Amino acid sequence: CIGGGQGLLVHGNYNGHLNAWGETLTLTDDTGRLVTTQSYAGAPSPAQQYLRITEIMYHPAPSPGDPYDVEDFEYLELKNIGLDTLDLSGVRFTSGIVFDFTSGAVANLAPGATVLVVRNLAAFTARYGSGFNVAGEYSGALDNAGETIRLDDAVGEKILEFAYNNSWYPVTDGLGFSLVIVNENAPWPTWGDKASWRASGALNGSPGS
């Protein structure tokens, strides 16, 4: 019990975590009745605010004579939409694919710049050429039917978590076109909406541009 005017510090293990973006906390009694609420503004990291996935080649098209498996041509493009250089140390994919930028070839991302993560660098280079800003190869593969992708910052806070679906635009499902974000400055929760994406305007996508 706690008397009037008293405060109670409760500590220990609890489920979930406080959202760096800010949120409203609710306290209820054992009958489910709302007792009180408390909101806080939060302080998202620079990566949460400005790093975005802008293109997904999840089901590439085959080319006659290619010595690679067709899925080896998968890639994802990320972009710094902010005005300052982003430190990518500790940024990592934790769902859909696995990749940690800490061990990648790209440590920082300039304002407006893009970086690619690819499934097979040799296959990517054979199809698209060299000179791209490639951080490295990821583990796993993008599901051709669609799946949830999660990107976390250096302390494990969510940057993006969303699901894409191959039914959105059939031309992106093995016919050579990628998914491209429509508005890179849109609120991050909209990344899971079909309307937030379109099919690429070029065959085999447009990595790095």
Side-chain angles (χ1 to χ4, degrees):
C1 296
I2 183 171
Q6 288 183 300
L8 180 64
L9 173 64
V10 179
H11 63 88
N13 298 328
Y14 57 83
N15 294 324
H17 66 277
L18 297 173
N19 193 328
W21 289 95
E23 62 185 329
T24 299
L25 305 175
T26 60
L27 179 66
T28 60
D29 63 19
D30 57 2
T31 68
R33 181 179 63 87
L34 178 65
V35 176
T36 188
T37 64
Q38 178 66 50
S39 298
Y40 65 96
S45 68
Q48 284 182 292
Q49 296 179 71
Y50 303 119
L51 186 62
R52 296 292 179 265
I53 297 170
T54 49
E55 186 172 1
I56 307 171
M57 176 62 82
Y58 68 93
H59 190 184
S63 295
D66 274 336
Y68 303 100
D69 183 89
V70 67
E71 306 304 335
D72 286 337
F73 298 102
E74 292 179 358
Y75 66 83
L76 292 98
E77 176 191 87
L78 299 90
K79 184 175 182 179
N80 176 3
I81 64 170
L83 299 177
D84 298 305
T85 296
L86 283 178
D87 180 2
L88 299 182
S89 300
V91 172
R92 56 200 181 275
F93 284 92
T94 57
S95 182
I97 59 171
V98 177
F99 182 80
D100 190 333
F101 282 89
T102 302
S103 58
V106 179
N108 297 292
L109 191 60
T114 60
V115 63
L116 301 166
V117 291
V118 303
R119 187 178 185 198
N120 184 317
L121 182 56
F124 180 87
T125 302
R127 174 166 288 186
Y128 298 100
S130 58
F132 289 89
N133 191 26
V134 178
E137 297 178 342
Y138 55 78
S139 300
L142 296 167
D143 195 312
N144 291 343
E147 64 180 327
T148 296
I149 297 174
R150 176 164 175 144
L151 181 67
D152 288 348
D153 70 7
V155 297
E157 288 285 349
K158 177 174 63 181
I159 298 173
L160 290 169
E161 185 174 25
F162 65 94
Y164 66 91
N165 195 299
N166 67 324
S167 67
W168 286 352
Y169 305 103
V171 294
T172 67
D173 190 9
L175 298 180
F177 295 85
S178 62
L179 286 172
V180 178
I181 200 69
V182 172
N183 180 7
E184 63 193 29
N185 295 299
W188 66 266
T190 64
W191 252 245
D193 298 340
K194 174 185 176 181
S196 296
W197 297 88
R198 63 173 175 82
S200 62
L203 184 65
N204 293 328
S206 53
S209 65

